[in-house]
Amino acid sequence: MSGAYNAMELTICCAARLLEDGRTVAVGTGVPCAAAMLAQRTSAPRLCIVFEAGGIAPQLPTMPISVGDSRTFYRALMATSMADVMETCQRGMIDYTFLGGAQIDAYGNLNSTMIGADYARPHVRLPGSGGANDLASLCWRVLVVTNHDRRRFVEKLDFLTTPGYLTGPGAREAAGLPSLPLPSSVRTTSRFTRRAPSR
């Protein structure tokens, strides 16, 4: 083995190190799932992985292709529903969530809806929130994993899909959202961490 790795593989390894043993993490597929699987197989064997579609604490044999893939229920402690997973978040029982997006601003807000100035006629239509808005609003820590690219780190989002600190200190609470340390960390392919504004 040559020991060579690419920037995204290194990002996955760095993200996996953030997950603590005995904690819960809500993940989607792709990089967040890879980081959670790596953590579970190395430094955090008791990490409880939760999938938005209802798989709770599966023993993932291989990478699932979606949050509803049958692998997300393999040898799981529970096969439940999206409503139950979101209620679990609402009750404060999920420690982390991994999110990404096409754009992130200085306040940790994310855009995964559209690129362009006109919602009716966007330059690019993206998949949207899925459960990201709920997860960012209700989990104790948000970890953002993304490629390090000038187009992703923007001054102003084209569309606010998922709240971070909204417009700055106090705005999150004024909007009725819990006061949480968001985002806990941003991991990019350039291997640096950006911390949330201090309160």
Side-chain angles (χ1 to χ4, degrees), residues 136-155:
S137 297
L138 301 169
C139 292
W140 290 106
R141 291 188 178 153
V142 176
L143 308 170
V144 178
V145 180
T146 188
N147 288 319
H148 190 80
D149 182 315
R150 186 179 310 241
R151 294 174 299 166
R152 291 187 187 269
F153 291 87
V154 297
E155 188 172 325

Side-chain angles (χ1 to χ4, degrees), residues 103 111 114-119 121-125 157-159:
Q103 295 176 325
N111 172 14
M114 51 83 74
I115 301 295
D118 183 1
Y119 181 82
R121 291 190 168 141
H123 179 66
V124 177
R125 177 78 62 196
L157 301 177
D158 291 349
F159 189 91

Side-chain angles (χ1 to χ4, degrees), residues 12-86:
I12 290 166
C13 291
C14 291
R17 288 182 186 172
L18 296 172
L19 299 171
E20 299 167 275
D21 198 27
R23 300 290 187 160
T24 53
V25 61
V27 300
T29 53
V31 171
C33 187
M37 288 173 71
L38 179 61
Q40 198 176 54
R41 288 183 168 98
T42 57
S43 61
R46 295 178 307 120
L47 179 69
C48 177
I49 299 173
V50 177
F51 286 93
E52 179 184 328
I56 297 182
Q59 295 177 6
L60 296 166
T62 58
M63 178 72 74
I65 58 172
S66 75
V67 294
D69 184 328
S70 62
R71 287 172 276 205
T72 66
F73 299 97
Y74 180 75
R75 299 181 74 183
L77 291 180
M78 180 184 264
T80 187
S81 68
M82 183 182 297
D84 285 340
V85 168
M86 294 306 172

Side-chain angles (χ1 to χ4, degrees), residues 157-188:
L157 301 177
D158 291 349
F159 189 91
L160 174 58
T161 308
T162 305
Y165 279 110
L166 297 172
T167 57
R172 184 176 173 81
E173 295 80 3
L177 296 171
S179 176
L180 302 174
L182 293 170
S184 295
S185 179
V186 176
R187 294 289 171 176
T188 74

